[in-house]
């Protein structure tokens, strides 16, 4: 489904007092999905930076030992 929200029709036996809160959740779900997506991208970037810094550290230690 690719992370897309779909319109869901509630069953006829669904209590009406719950219909409004359920419908109000849709924007919140979209907002939370966007937040998760942004945090995943940020996490990916941090992991890349950590890998780069580790490789530079190893390179520098090797260079220090050679000197």
């Amino acid at each position: 489904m690719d992370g897309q929200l779909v319109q869901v029709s509630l069953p006829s036996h669904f209590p009406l007092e719950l219909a409004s809160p359920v419908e109000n959740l849709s924007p919140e779900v979209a907002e939370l999905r966007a937040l998760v997506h942004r945090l995943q991208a940020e996490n990916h970037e941090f992991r890349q930076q950590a890998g780069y810094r580790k490789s530079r550290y190893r390179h520098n230690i090797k260079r220090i030992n050679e000197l």
Side-chain angles (χ1 to χ4, degrees), residues 3 8 11 21 36-37 40 44 55 57 59 64-67:
V8 176
V36 166
H37 181 71
Q40 286 174 331
H44 179 71
S55 72
Y57 173 79
H59 172 77
I64 288 170
N65 288 333
E66 289 172 355
L67 294 175

Side-chain angles (χ1 to χ4, degrees), residues 4-66:
Q4 295 178 354
L5 294 177
V6 293
Q7 183 67 30
V8 176
S9 57
L10 300 173
S12 59
H13 64 278
F14 195 81
L16 291 179
E17 63 271 5
L18 295 179
S20 181
V22 168
E23 290 170 355
N24 291 339
L25 289 176
S26 183
E28 285 184 52
V29 169
E31 197 175 312
L32 289 171
R33 285 179 191 236
L35 176 62
V36 166
H37 181 71
R38 184 179 60 79
L39 291 173
Q40 286 174 331
E42 191 175 306
N43 184 38
H44 179 71
E45 183 180 332
F46 287 146
R47 286 178 180 269
Q48 284 181 324
Q49 290 176 10
Y52 172 76
R53 295 189 195 304
K54 284 180 184 180
S55 72
R56 296 309 307 156
Y57 173 79
R58 285 190 302 265
H59 172 77
N60 290 333
I61 292 296
K62 181 180 176 184
R63 205 164 154 217
I64 288 170
N65 288 333
E66 289 172 355

